[in-house]
Amino acid sequence: MFDFIEIYPWLLPVIIFFGRICDVTLGTLRIIFVAKGEKKKAPLVGFFEVFIWVVIISQIFSHANDLVAYLAYAGGYATGNFVGILVENKIAFGFQLIRIYTRNNGAELTRLLHENGFGFTHIHGEGAVAEVEIIETVVTRKSEKKVTAIIRQFDPNAFYVIEDIRAKRKGIFALSSAGAPRLGK
C-alpha cells in the first residue's frame, strides 16, 4: 500500500504522525456523538477512525523499527487529542442549559433574552442569604458566549451554571431565520 516508503523512508514518521492526528481527532468526535446519542454519526465517524488507525498500525508493524516512528506515533496521539478538542469547540455540537441566579430583577434579564431570541423559564427562589431570581434557558453551544455576555451585562455578580444536555423537546429556542423565536418539537 505504501511502497513509496521503501524509496522515501523519512516519510513514514510523517505519515504516522498525521495519521494519528486524524484518527484521534475522529475518536474525540465519535465519543461526543455517542454521548449525545447520535446513532448515525457515531458509527460513521468510528468507521473512518478505525480504518485510519489500522492503516497506520500496519505500517508501524511492517516498517517502523526506530525510535523516530514511535515518537511520531505518540506525538500524533497527543496532538490528535489537542486538535480534537479544537475541532469539537469549533463545531460546538449540541445544546446547553444555562441556569442563572441573580438578586437583580429577573424580568429585566428575561426581556434581554427575549430580545435576543432566546426562550427562558423564570422562577422566584430563596438563596442561602436572600431571595433570588432563577432564569433557565436552553441554547445551542454556539450561542453560549452570546448568552453569557448578556448575563454579565445584566448582572456582573450573577451566578450561573452551564450544563450539557443530551436532548430537548418542545419549548422556545434561538431565533429562526425569519427573526422570530423558534418553537421546539
Side-chain angles (χ1 to χ4, degrees):
M1 181 177 207
F2 288 101
D3 295 333
F4 60 88
I5 290 176
E6 304 301 330
I7 301 168
Y8 306 106
W10 57 269
L11 273 177
L12 180 62
V14 173
I15 292 169
I16 291 170
F17 180 77
F18 286 105
R20 285 302 284 163
I21 290 174
C22 291
D23 92 87
V24 173
T25 298
L26 290 174
T28 301
L29 295 176
R30 177 186 49 78
I31 289 167
I32 291 162
F33 290 146
V34 166
K36 301 283 185 185
E38 292 292 323
K39 296 175 189 160
K40 293 179 181 167
K41 292 177 184 171
L44 182 65
V45 170
F47 172 84
F48 289 104
E49 171 196 3
V50 170
F51 180 78
I52 293 168
W53 181 82
V54 166
V55 169
I56 296 304
I57 204 72
S58 70
Q59 293 308 304
I60 286 180
F61 285 142
S62 63
H63 295 96
N65 56 7
D66 64 3
L67 184 60
V68 175
Y70 301 142
L71 290 172
Y73 187 86
Y77 181 84
T79 306
N81 280 291
F82 181 76
V83 171
I85 291 169
L86 291 179
V87 168
E88 195 278 330
N89 285 334
K90 190 72 173 167
I91 64 172
F93 182 77
F95 293 88
Q96 294 180 315
L97 168 66
I98 302 178
R99 187 176 300 118
I100 306 114
Y101 301 86
T102 181
R103 291 185 192 175
N104 293 357
N105 181 359
E108 177 62 21
L109 178 55
T110 60
R111 183 188 62 77
L112 290 169
L113 289 170
H114 180 73
E115 285 176 359
N116 285 278
F118 298 104
F120 56 85
T121 299
H122 182 182
I123 308 162
H124 301 285
E126 185 68 36
V129 294
E131 287 188 3
V132 293
E133 302 287 317
I134 305 165
I135 296 94
E136 294 182 344
T137 184
V138 175
V139 300
T140 63
R141 286 196 49 227
K142 290 183 180 188
S143 300
E144 176 189 332
K145 287 181 180 164
K146 182 175 183 179
V147 173
T148 56
I150 292 168
I151 296 166
R152 284 192 303 277
Q153 172 193 349
F154 165 74
D155 179 2
N157 297 314
F159 171 74
Y160 60 89
V161 293
I162 301 174
E163 302 174 42
D164 282 334
I165 58 174
R166 183 176 168 141
K168 63 170 181 51
R169 184 170 175 263
K170 305 273 184 189
I172 297 176
F173 305 101
L175 291 175
S176 69
S177 58
R182 242 179 354 140
L183 294 177
K185 297 178 182 169

